Amino acid sequence: MQFKIGILGEARAGKDTVADLIERAIISDKVSSNIPHLYAFTFSSGIHELLKSYVPDLYKQGKPRDALQRVGQLLREYDPAVWINKLFNSGEYVYSEQFGYNIVITDVRQP
């Protein structure tokens, strides 16, 4: 049975860590041979792709949180579902859906 989990939390609250713990629990479960793989996704991956393509220097000193938030919110003004659609139409997500893999999204932020 496929499951989909969205993890919600403040910045740096440990959302990726929770996803890692879920994955470890699946791997270590003795019945895990019957449980499909877990794939972790982020809605922000599209924003990262955009910024890394056009202004890669922003990443020289770590994650450019301010730029990520500004670009993300700006494009959401034109299409509130822009990042949801970007993720759900990505090849990796579609592949995971088609093969029934478990999915966790680690950056649920907007209602």
Side-chain angles (χ1 to χ4, degrees):
M1 176 179 172
Q2 179 188 36
F3 65 77
K4 297 178 187 173
I5 299 173
I7 301 175
L8 175 67
E10 299 283 327
R12 307 203 43 85
K15 298 178 292 295
D16 290 324
T17 301
V18 170
D20 290 342
L21 291 171
I22 292 169
E23 184 174 28
R24 279 192 230 150
I26 288 173
I27 290 169
S28 68
D29 188 343
K30 295 203 187 304
V31 207
S32 65
S33 59
N34 296 327
I35 300 174
H37 290 81
L38 175 72
Y39 284 88
F41 294 98
T42 63
F43 290 120
S44 65
S45 61
I47 309 169
H48 283 284
E49 289 173 25
L50 189 68
L51 290 177
K52 286 179 180 178
S53 292
Y54 291 99
V55 281
D57 288 350
L58 288 175
Y59 287 85
K60 284 186 175 178
Q61 298 192 3
K63 188 187 290 187
R65 293 185 188 281
D66 184 57
L68 290 164
Q69 290 171 356
R70 287 177 185 232
V71 170
Q73 291 295 14
L74 177 66
L75 290 177
R76 283 186 76 242
E77 289 178 19
Y78 296 99
D79 178 2
V82 65
W83 304 117
I84 295 168
N85 294 334
K86 171 78 170 141
L87 174 62
F88 289 177
N89 291 315
S90 71
E92 296 93 352
Y93 190 88
V94 170
Y95 177 87
S96 297
E97 283 267 295
Q98 288 175 342
F99 287 93
Y101 294 145
N102 296 310
I103 294 170
V104 62
I105 299 174
T106 61
D107 66 346
V108 178
R109 292 197 191 352
Q110 304 287 334

